[in-house]
Amino acid sequence: MRTSRQDLRRGLFQLAVMQGGYFTAAQAREIGYSYQAQHYHAQQGNWVRVDRGLYRLFAWPVGAHDELVRWTLWAGGRAVVSHESALDVHGIGEFNPARVHLTAPRAFSKRAVGAVIHTADLDRADIENREGFRVTRPVRSLVDVAAAGADSDQLGRAIEEAQDIGLLTPRRLRERAEAVDLKAALRIEQALGRLGL
């Protein structure tokens, strides 16, 4: 059974909507676009070639988190935005990472110059969905930066800020840190102590 052009466009659009307007060449192929058709659409300007094997629909507005969508697609959807990058998404703290931080399953082996790849098997409860990417929740993100040895003053300010806007309670943060990483739990406990929490 042949798929009509309208069905192909609809399928691609539905996929791109969930990914901030982006899609990979492999995803387009799965929908039914041959490599020749992909080349045609890129040449005609219907698709914008962003990187090797990565496209964006023409006229799709550029979003605040486009870089995170692109890195997630680079990782085949297996990585989650985490650590300082996740705190930046949540608007917590002043970490300003120079590179995107991603957490991927332990078996993940890809490496890239523009990203810091951490490996861990994350609980579903530690992850939330955003438009085109997944990100660790604030509590898990704070535990991750504490485990990575974040500056104690920065960590304390981020914890205080997250609590002030209702994203965590000290009890929940302590519990999650103890469950994930004892070194992080100690650093978080010290930060909470300085904050009088």
Side-chain angles (χ1 to χ4, degrees), residues 118-139:
H118 305 273
T119 56
D121 296 320
L122 296 170
D123 291 346
R124 278 192 201 172
D126 286 334
I127 301 168
E128 66 182 57
N129 292 315
R130 295 292 179 107
E131 185 177 322
F133 65 98
R134 296 176 303 149
V135 61
T136 53
R137 293 184 187 277
V139 168

Side-chain angles (χ1 to χ4, degrees), residues 94-131:
E94 304 164 348
F95 291 97
N96 300 322
R99 297 188 294 165
V100 172
H101 287 257
L102 301 169
T103 297
R106 295 187 195 283
F108 190 82
S109 61
K110 290 177 85 172
R111 296 288 173 252
V113 174
V116 178
I117 310 295
H118 305 273
T119 56
D121 296 320
L122 296 170
D123 291 346
R124 278 192 201 172
D126 286 334
I127 301 168
E128 66 182 57
N129 292 315
R130 295 292 179 107
E131 185 177 322

Side-chain angles (χ1 to χ4, degrees), residues 39-50:
H39 179 74
Y40 170 82
H41 285 287
Q43 291 293 101
Q44 294 300 310
N46 301 328
W47 303 354
V48 177
R49 186 173 188 262
V50 177

